[in-house]
Each structure stands twice: as structure tokens, then as C-alpha cells.
Amino acid sequence: GMTITRAGGLNPAAFNNANTSGNHELLLDDTFNGPSMFYTFAHLPKGQYRVYTYAIAPYNATFRTDVSVIGSTSPNPQPIGGTMPVNGFAPGITHAVHSIDLAPGGYIVVSVATSVGSSNINGFQIVPRPPCADFDGSNTVDVDDLLAVILLWGSCDSPCPPNCAADFVPNCSVDVDDLIAVILGWGGCP
């Protein structure tokens, strides 16, 4: 299974921020802090992932943490910090979001550095990302991709390859799953 290693990060800290309760409090009110930290996630299957790095300082709204994911297709670094939202999450305030394509045997390295005050890490989510539902290669999911799903609706030709045209959720059929992939992926591809 997946392994996690950490380098750096001096102090675990717990704080009771008045703006959090329940699950938000459980995730955001505890932190590892220090000048810089590296987290390595290894033994993940090949694929595309979204990496959510929660890095707000629950005890000081002026502190800022710069979060980078080495090899990410998203901007690096992403500065995180500010006033804690009331039981909510906000990219750029509570967390960074990075996309990465992981090769076989690859690993994800999250680099955390102090921008202002002290860097903080509250937690991570690493979520497999479905492929972009971009049928025509425009790097945007739009009406052309929606029309492709409608026009190619039904079972794929036999024998079905791993994917067939417009089968964005590979199951050898262009169906409601692919329609949902287009709707959820509407806009620019990551």
C-alpha cells in the first residue's frame, strides 16, 4: 500500500479556532509547523491525481505557507493562509490544489515552505482524477464534447478496447457516466 514519509517540521500544535467545529475542527485545528517540510507519498498506482494540501495556521491569520507539488501541472508555489472560514474550506486560504500525472513507480512530493511566520500542514487528500472529458482535443470540455457523447451514445464496437471514442469513464459504453464526466469536467482541462 501507499507509504508516507516526512522530512522537516519541528512542532506538532493543537489549537481551538473559534471558526471551526466538527470535521472542520478535526482537520484544520491541528498542525505540524516549522520552517520547511517535505512529504513523500509512494506506492500509488499510475494515474492522474488531485492533491489537496491543507496548510492554514489555525492560531495566526497572518502566517502564510507556500505549497508546491514537484512535477505538478498546477502553479507552484501556491500561498496558503488568512482568516479561517466559518466551517468551510477555501482554496488559497485553507488549502492548495495541485494536479499531477503519476507514472508507474512514481511518487508525489509535497514541499512546504514558510512565506510569512511559520509554515503549517494540517493534512492531505490525494484523490484519483478521472481523465478530462475532452473528445475533440481542444483542452476544454464544452458543447462539442457534449455533442460527441450524444452522437456516440451506446455500446462500443466489439471487441471493446480499453477506451472507445467518448467513453470517458471506460466501461465499453458511452452512457450516463460519460455524460456526467462531461458535466462535471465542464471548462478548461487541468
Side-chain angles (χ1 to χ4, degrees), residues 8-181:
L10 302 174
N11 306 305
F15 185 80
N16 188 13
N17 189 293
N19 286 349
T20 60
S21 64
N23 289 334
H24 293 89
E25 180 179 22
L26 292 172
L27 176 61
L28 299 175
D29 282 6
D30 296 328
T31 182
F32 256 101
N33 58 30
S36 64
M37 295 172 263
F38 293 89
Y39 288 82
T40 303
F41 300 86
H43 307 291
L44 290 159
K46 171 190 170 192
Q48 299 176 331
Y49 292 90
R50 280 220 171 87
V51 179
Y52 297 84
T53 305
Y54 297 88
I56 190 168
Y59 51 86
N60 192 323
T62 66
F63 284 10
R64 298 290 182 271
T65 300
D66 286 340
V67 177
S68 297
V69 173
I70 298 169
S72 172
T73 57
S74 305
N76 277 318
Q78 294 182 25
I80 308 301
T83 301
M84 182 78 74
V86 176
N87 286 328
F89 300 109
I93 297 175
T94 57
H95 64 282
V97 181
H98 289 87
S99 295
I100 189 165
D101 295 328
L102 201 60
Y107 49 89
I108 297 171
V109 177
V110 179
S111 169
V112 179
T114 299
S115 176
V116 176
S118 178
S119 59
N120 289 269
I121 285 291
N122 314 99
F124 300 94
Q125 283 182 299
I126 299 177
V127 180
R129 189 181 80 211
C132 184
D134 178 24
F135 176 77
D136 62 0
S138 66
N139 207 33
T140 302
V141 179
D142 56 18
V143 69
D144 294 329
D145 305 300
L146 176 63
L147 290 174
V149 168
I150 293 168
L151 293 173
L152 297 169
W153 194 270
S155 297
C156 298
D157 291 337
S158 202
C160 178
N163 293 304
C164 63
D167 185 20
F168 304 117
V169 179
N171 61 1
C172 294
S173 179
V174 179
D175 55 18
V176 70
D177 292 334
D178 305 300
L179 180 61
I180 291 169

